[in-house]
Amino acid sequence: MQTYAYFPGCSLETSAKEYDTSTRAVFDKLGIGLKEVPDWSCCGSSQAHKVDRDMAAAIAGRNLVLASEIGDIVAPCASCFMSLKEAAVELEHDSEIRDTLKENGLEYLPGSVRVISTVEAAHNALEKGMFEGKITKPLKNLKVASYYGCLLVRPPKIAQFDDVENPMSMDRLMEAAGATPVKWSHKTECCGNAYIMVDKDMTLNLVRNILNAAVSAGADVVAAACPLCHMNLVMRQPYMMQKYGLKSEIPIVYFSQLLGTALNADEQDLDIDGEVMRLINKRRQEANEVKEVG
Amino acid sequence: MSRVGVFICHCGANIAGKVDVAKVSDDAINIPGVVYSSHQKYSCSEAGQKVIIDAIKENHIDKVVIGSCSPKMHENTFRKTIEQAGLNPYMLEIANLREHVSWVTADKDSATRKAFDLVKAAVGKVSFAKPLTPGQVTVEKRALVIGGGIAGIQAALDIANMGYEVVMVEKEPSIGGRMAQLDKTFPTLDCSACILSPRMVDVAQHPNIRLLTYSEVENVNGYVGNFNVTIRKKAKFVDESICTGCLECVTKCPLKKKIPNEFENGKAPRGAIYVPFAQAVPKVPVIDKEHCQWLLSPDPDTIEVAEGEKKPKRKCGVCQKKCEQGAINFEMEDELINEKFGAIVLATGFNLFDQKKYGEYGAGEIPDVITGLDFERMVNSSGPTEGKIVRPSNGEKPKKVAFIQCVGSRDEAKGVPYCSRICCMYTAKQAILVREKLPDAEVYVFYMDIRAAGKGYEEFVLRAQREYGANYVRGRVSRIYEQDGHLVLKAADTILGMPLEMEADMVILATGSIAREDSVALANTIGITTDAYGFISEVHPKLKPVEVPREGVFACGAALSPRDIPDTVATAGAVAAKVGVLFSNDILMSDPMVANIDPMICVACGACVEVCPYSAITMEEFRGKKFAKVNEAMCQGCGTCSAACRPGAAQLRGQTDEQILKSIEAVLQW
């Protein structure tokens, strides 16, 4: 069985537990092993590289060395993914940081670990045909706006995944899950990230634009692949309707929760909001009715 | 024993600045065989050549070594010099002391040492040189012009007007090329078709030009003055000799609204039988066999049916029924034509960058984001909207139109690094056309910088801005998306230093010029090279701008690099002049430095036949003995056969094994 080293990161232990459990459930259903990186530590996001790039590479590099025992490393959090991948690129070229790690008993062999996001890992599985026959509960009629955010495909020289301006991998995954991906304008726009702490006004304006674009495109839900994006998009929707001109509330779910639903994974692991589940079922029903009428 | 004379050139300070020329010259006199040695400021000057001639005569020199610049530069000059002194011109060897030594060596001592080594090698080699005499070949005074755009048209007309026969091959059903697709031309705003169509007709009617449309070049053999070319004349399924061009067939084709017309950049339909546009030359339709229902349906003769059952008939065939002339012939097949030409002109033009590569501009999926070429067809009165500027999404007049320049050009990340040279100008022209046709519409042009180098070009851009009120914004657009029935553009205004968000109804992308997708394949067929982008490589960008490395082949227009109509026409004229110069010779001298195979040594293994890139070697038999023979007119002197020949029968004249070994020996011994 193919096994990845799995790097959950701090968010998935706290604010985004459902992203963690649903990701594990999806890969379990696909027959892909996820083995948690033993004794993993902070990836350094999103501050370390602002303080000292070498330090950031060393902090993330520790995790790469630990992962190399298992294999290629997957990170569900877009921010972890980018920290680890940037470190892998730095370590490739910078022997000084490698020496620093070595002095601390961590030998890194350049090229020994490939860093990918869970979206990329799932998309690879899709391309290999590993979804075939496994979508037993398709998300019929559900209109999904796939939201990639900034770090999943950017910067392109580091991310090396999908079209940087018009990524389609998550859309294809949603299509494979039986849902209808909507064409929309804001799939890679910035959600404001940690700026919510610094400049609430700016961040909420950005979030409002993203959500309004999804609503205008006719989406039922927004699929996210980053705990930070998810948090920014989910919180304060009612407040934004009052003060920031948000057109209507829209549910935000992790792409893994939707995939897991279609793969008929354990409901407890997926931990989908009851209201979203009712919406999914409603759309399925509508699809069946149309079929019967047709 | 040879009597070798050595002449070291200072090349001003080019060589003398790095090489101790006096020392090299003094030492050279001690090389065995050298009877004379001197150094001079400019050997290539008239005075310098006189020194060489006098020294040869006074010292009875029979072989000459000149230490100077690259032989590419002056080998021919010095061959003529020693010929004047009464020597065979091939008794010369150049030691390249400039490109190979002074320009690339940092230290003076090592430069001087290397210069002396190269002189020793040259003396060793020239000592074994043998006199050579050029051969003679006749010139077939007919030219092949590949490509029927404005470049090919101009070249063909000029060559034909000199009195030479021309065959023009065009792969599309009509000549006209890109220029025929354009509405107006900058900076004069002439109607493109009005100035082009008469020349298209001239080509068709010229007694010296034979036009082969819907045809492609398949194979090119031979050499300058004597090319053998195979041309595939694709089946048109319409007999050109009887078709009157009434186009009844075209109007009756049931698929006439079904197939995207390439000429309209896919924005208007055509049928399976079609002429690409109204002014097409020749005005004879062709049947597209990829789409024609009759041709796609199975041949009844090949279908076996049970007894009593009716055989299925071919589908459709409406055009054949409607044609009063009986010109439709479904049995027509591709025809292969072999012709002999003295010169070949490449005028194969260019393509436009594909907007699909720009995800941030909607990857071609937002209907109101179109390309410059789409706009040319739209604004043209015979185009898909009959000249009306409308939003493709809803057919309404746009109130605000934005142009984005440098889409694909000057973009190393997604496109090509070079500037396409035409986009600044065609954008200014299109901005003017929008303001002329829709005076109420606002026009914005997003640019990186304006490159308007050309006669009247800068003035034209200023007119677009001042007279026509186009608003020029310096900055890139980072994203376009649809919102509430409009387009939203996110950009930067780099003059204000501020981000900018703008609504627009329509966006026109100035997509850059790229090489044709089949340019590399065609270059391979002809045996020439392309640059990293697929454009045809010229011999010298300044001094031989229309010559390509295969002698007798020339190129013009945008097949060489992106260029506008004036430059295209100018290079086409230049090509015609070059062809005229070539055809002014009845006989050409062939380079004697070609391969020769000694039949007494040859064991007929055939290795040389296989490796020869020019198919110049064949197997012969004489009195029962087989041996390989070089066609000296076809041989390009590459030496591959000589390297492959195990017994050493194949020798390149002027570069024999003996000469090369002697030059190596000279360097090692001394």
Side-chain angles (χ1 to χ4, degrees), chain B residues 315-492:
Chain B
K315 284 183 188 162
C316 195
V318 172
C319 49
Q320 196 172 36
K321 287 172 207 144
K322 293 288 168 188
C323 182
E324 288 175 5
Q325 300 293 318
I328 309 286
N329 175 9
F330 288 119
E331 308 299 322
M332 209 179 260
E333 281 178 7
D334 286 7
E335 204 182 321
L336 287 178
I337 306 171
N338 285 303
E339 299 258 352
K340 217 172 165 197
F341 298 100
I344 299 175
V345 175
L346 298 170
T348 46
F350 68 105
N351 244 343
L352 286 154
F353 183 80
D354 184 1
Q355 70 177 116
K356 285 199 178 74
K357 289 183 183 153
Y358 269 77
E360 62 267 51
Y361 299 162
E365 291 190 21
I366 303 176
D368 292 334
V369 180
I370 63 173
T371 68
L373 190 58
D374 291 335
F375 182 82
E376 291 293 335
R377 294 313 307 149
M378 178 188 277
V379 78
N380 188 282
S381 56
S382 58
T385 59
E386 292 170 340
K388 290 189 197 72
I389 301 173
V390 293
R391 303 177 62 188
S393 62
N394 59 10
E396 285 174 15
K397 283 182 191 168
K399 294 189 188 70
K400 201 164 171 183
V401 178
F403 290 88
I404 303 176
Q405 295 193 175
C406 298
V407 177
S409 326
R410 303 178 70 195
D411 181 350
E412 290 179 47
K414 278 192 281 291
V416 291
Y418 58 77
C419 165
S420 287
R421 290 186 59 200
I422 53 173
C423 322
C424 284
M425 296 310 298
Y426 80 64
T427 298
K429 174 196 71 183
Q430 293 176 347
I432 288 175
L433 293 178
V434 172
R435 293 284 295 161
E436 254 182 7
K437 291 208 171 186
L438 304 172
D440 296 332
E442 283 180 78
V443 168
Y444 286 83
V445 178
F446 290 90
Y447 69 99
M448 299 197 343
D449 37 35
I450 300 296
R451 297 188 165 178
K455 199 170 181 177
Y457 284 13
E458 184 68 24
E459 297 91 318
F460 185 71
V461 175
L462 291 177
R463 255 175 84 197
Q465 295 171 348
R466 293 175 187 166
E467 247 177 76
Y468 289 90
N471 301 294
Y472 272 65
V473 182
R474 195 185 78 183
R476 288 292 277 180
V477 174
S478 63
R479 186 164 290 278
I480 303 170
Y481 56 83
E482 291 173 289
Q483 193 175 63
D484 308 325
H486 293 287
L487 301 173
V488 177
L489 279 68
K490 287 194 163 184

Side-chain angles (χ1 to χ4, degrees), chain A residues 93-111:
Chain A
H93 306 295
D94 197 328
S95 59
E96 267 181 50
I97 310 173
R98 288 205 300 270
D99 291 343
T100 311
L101 283 172
K102 204 173 173 182
E103 281 162 26
N104 289 283
L106 295 159
E107 193 173 356
Y108 181 77
L109 300 169

Side-chain angles (χ1 to χ4, degrees), chain A residues 154 163 165-166 183 185-186 188-189 216 247, chain B residues 359-360 363 365 414 478-479 481-482 484 490:
Chain A
R154 279 194 295 227
D163 183 331
E165 301 292 354
N166 185 28
K183 269 210 277 184
S185 51
H186 281 54
T188 56
E189 292 299 303
S216 303
K247 285 181 190 164
Chain B
E360 62 267 51
E365 291 190 21
K414 278 192 281 291
S478 63
R479 186 164 290 278
Y481 56 83
E482 291 173 289
D484 308 325
K490 287 194 163 184

